[in-house]
Amino acid sequence: MRLAGVRWPASVSTARLDGAGYRVVRPRRPIRAAALEEYRHGAQLAVGKAAAVDLAVAWWLAARSPHSLIHLPLRSGGQLDLVLLHHSLGFRVSSWKRLRSRLSPPAMTTVTLPPRPFPVLARADHERFFHQGFRDHLRYAFAADTLFLIGSRRAYELAAEEVRALAEDGPAHLVAGTHFCAEIGLGPWKPHHRRNPAAMLHAYLR
């Protein structure tokens, strides 16, 4: 389906932790036909058509909501939940379990995607990913049965085309019986980086 104008029922909860305030956004309805698990190259996410749209909306929100954590509860279908957040929030992932326990009752809202949710970037923008000194990588961490993706708006936008294609173009491939996936680079492109070695989020339609 086309993402332009998609309306996404969501809930917003807040909490204070260690003197800081946090805002957590979740989909209002359960995410079905989705499973996220850790594997040797990073993480693997299997999604149905509706869950691919959930991922795309969450990706758009994460790029544009530097003060929010976007939480996709996926553990009912797999091993891990997914949280996307802006690096400027400075959130320590080890605090996620405590934050969840303090969240306020949710307030209902609806997220509406604009006509062009994701920018079309030039090839040169993507090639910078491999340049020495490039800083707009998506970092990742595992904590409390959750995969965290952490980055700048630019980091999310560099991977946005993969996420868009999964939601918009993937269903036709599914009908044709062909594999369709998004392969999103995580961490600096250095296999032996000390803190965040290169990994991959492999998201595929099922």
Side-chain angles (χ1 to χ4, degrees), residues 27 29-35 46-54 73-74 76-77 206:
R29 58 176 180 262
I31 298 176
R32 306 192 186 282
V47 292
K49 290 184 287 186
V53 173
D54 290 323
L74 302 174
S76 61
R206 67 176 184 184

Side-chain angles (χ1 to χ4, degrees), residues 128-172:
R128 291 191 185 97
F129 181 90
F130 301 99
H131 290 182
Q132 186 175 7
F134 182 76
R135 293 291 180 266
D136 283 315
H137 299 282
L138 277 172
R139 295 187 292 110
Y140 66 96
F142 295 95
D145 299 319
T146 302
L147 168 64
F148 294 84
L149 300 185
I150 307 156
S152 64
R153 176 168 179 163
R154 178 59 102 187
Y156 282 107
E157 288 180 341
L158 283 169
E161 174 58 21
E162 297 260 7
V163 176
R164 181 211 62 77
L166 191 69
E168 291 192 339
D169 305 334

Side-chain angles (χ1 to χ4, degrees), residues 5 7 19 50 76 88 116 128 179 206:
R7 292 172 61 82
S76 61
S88 65
R116 288 190 173 184
R128 291 191 185 97
H179 178 78
R206 67 176 184 184

Side-chain angles (χ1 to χ4, degrees), residues 165-205:
L166 191 69
E168 291 192 339
D169 305 334
H173 289 264
L174 196 63
V175 170
T178 56
H179 178 78
F180 195 89
C181 66
E183 294 186 335
I184 298 168
L186 305 177
W189 200 247
K190 299 175 183 177
H192 304 295
H193 190 273
R194 183 172 60 87
R195 299 184 65 182
N196 220 221
M200 184 78 67
L201 173 62
H202 175 231
Y204 67 94
L205 210 60

Side-chain angles (χ1 to χ4, degrees), residues 13-18 22-27 68-75 79-85 89-103 141-150:
S13 299
T14 59
R16 292 194 65 80
L17 188 67
D18 299 329
Y22 296 98
R23 181 174 181 264
V24 176
V25 181
R26 294 180 170 120
S68 300
L69 293 91
I70 316 302
H71 176 208
L72 297 183
L74 302 174
R75 275 185 291 165
Q79 300 172 4
L80 300 169
D81 280 355
L82 178 63
V83 170
L84 301 93
L85 65 146
L89 194 59
F91 180 72
R92 294 186 306 187
V93 301
S94 59
S95 301
W96 175 237
K97 193 171 183 179
R98 285 197 297 142
L99 181 65
R100 281 187 317 204
S101 70
R102 300 184 183 195
L103 290 173
F142 295 95
D145 299 319
T146 302
L147 168 64
F148 294 84
L149 300 185
I150 307 156

